[in-house]
Amino acid sequence: MKHQLLFAAATAAILAAPTLATAQDSGWYLRGNAGYGVHTDTDLKGGLLGSNESEGNAAYSLGFGYEMKNGLRMELDGTSLWSDLGKIDSLPQSSAKLRTTTLMANILYDFESFGRIEPYVGAGAGISKNSFKAVASDFPSAPAGSPGATLIASPACPGPRSGSDSFACFVDESDTNFAWQLIAGLGYQVTDNLTWDTNYRYQDIDVANFDGERVNNVSGASSPFTADLVDAGSHTVMTGIRYRFGGSTPPPAPTPDVSCWDGS
């Protein structure tokens, strides 16, 4: 709930910002950015149990939008981030990976009072495709061949066990759900049409749901389960260029000074 209230407050602030704007050129633009991102720490619930801590990786974003004269920009934005989530609860014979690909509609506002430097803020909402791969398997208490080694039931793969059975839980699926983001950036006008664009963004995809399979490693029998990836989101920092199509608006013609006209 706190995240949704923060998103709503940020959107309201952006919509109110044009009252502070100065005149600027308008037009369609194309933006491309690349950088570094990391998924937030997540929890697994259901047929897979445990926590994950993401490693960072490359992030990419492409946007197409319209820049208005009042400082607002409306933009369609696609972003992709892949992360290795490492072991589930640091358990042996477990691993998880996550790729999020988002498509969002953004509202952004450029502050125009700093010359060629243009700080901006923004918010967006849309959908996220979440591709998740994970495995958690029962594991030996000691390296193979060690005397007294026993099989340990993986806490990440819950369920009944009997005798010498060994189990593994697998997920390899995608889920699409609602997502939102907050953006803070800095643009530098290289030319009237070309801007060097650097931004930070926080994306929130909340809960993603996946189907999985619990497999008996001895008999091969399997049973389905569902797993939830909870508190999923990401932090990214990217830089790139934004190109606005069309020419600059010429300055207005000077108004003739008629204060000295004597009427003759």
Side-chain angles (χ1 to χ4, degrees):
M1 179 60 71
K2 290 182 179 179
H3 288 165
Q4 280 77 0
L5 289 174
L6 181 61
F7 172 73
T11 304
I14 295 166
L15 291 175
T19 58
L20 305 174
T22 59
Q24 66 174 20
D25 293 320
S26 62
W28 296 98
Y29 68 85
L30 185 65
R31 172 189 55 76
N33 299 76
Y36 182 83
V38 59
H39 284 105
T40 57
D41 296 346
T42 57
D43 292 320
L44 284 163
K45 297 182 179 181
L48 273 176
L49 295 176
S51 300
N52 298 106
E53 185 174 339
S54 172
E55 297 180 4
N57 210 332
Y60 307 94
S61 177
L62 185 67
F64 179 70
Y66 188 80
E67 181 178 335
M68 305 177 194
K69 289 183 178 293
N70 61 359
L72 279 178
R73 286 188 281 125
M74 309 293 289
E75 179 183 270
L76 187 64
D77 165 52
T79 303
S80 181
L81 173 64
W82 175 89
S83 286
D84 186 344
L85 301 181
K87 296 181 181 297
I88 302 173
D89 273 347
S90 301
L91 293 169
Q93 296 185 195
S94 70
S95 64
K97 297 179 180 180
L98 174 66
R99 177 183 292 277
T100 53
T101 304
T102 61
L103 181 65
M104 300 199 195
N106 296 331
I107 303 174
L108 304 111
Y109 174 71
D110 295 311
F111 296 91
E112 297 291 323
S113 302
F114 305 94
R116 289 188 175 273
I117 298 175
E118 297 180 352
Y120 65 88
V121 293
I127 59 173
S128 176
K129 180 181 179 181
N130 316 301
S131 300
F132 184 61
K133 292 184 179 182
V135 60
S137 179
D138 295 348
F139 54 91
S141 61
S146 299
T150 59
L151 191 66
I152 297 178
S154 176
C157 182
R161 290 166 171 80
S162 61
S164 60
D165 285 349
S166 169
F167 286 86
C169 293
F170 299 92
V171 172
D172 186 358
E173 201 191 29
S174 295
D175 177 51
T176 301
N177 62 323
F178 173 79
W180 58 268
Q181 64 183 359
L182 298 176
I183 306 169
L186 187 68
Y188 178 79
Q189 286 191 325
V190 181
T191 68
D192 288 342
N193 293 78
L194 186 65
T195 299
W196 180 19
D197 183 302
T198 301
N199 66 64
Y200 159 81
R201 66 182 67 197
Y202 169 74
Q203 290 188 341
D204 189 290
I205 61 175
D206 196 20
V207 180
N209 309 110
F210 305 100
D211 292 328
E213 196 172 38
R214 185 172 183 264
V215 178
N216 186 318
N217 294 325
V218 177
S219 67
S222 65
S223 59
F225 66 80
T226 59
D228 296 332
L229 188 65
V230 182
D231 295 329
S234 65
H235 302 275
T236 58
V237 177
M238 292 180 282
T239 191
I241 58 173
R242 186 170 75 239
Y243 181 78
R244 179 171 51 81
F245 300 97
S248 300
T249 303
T255 302
D257 184 1
V258 296
S259 59
C260 298
W261 181 60
D262 60 6
S264 59

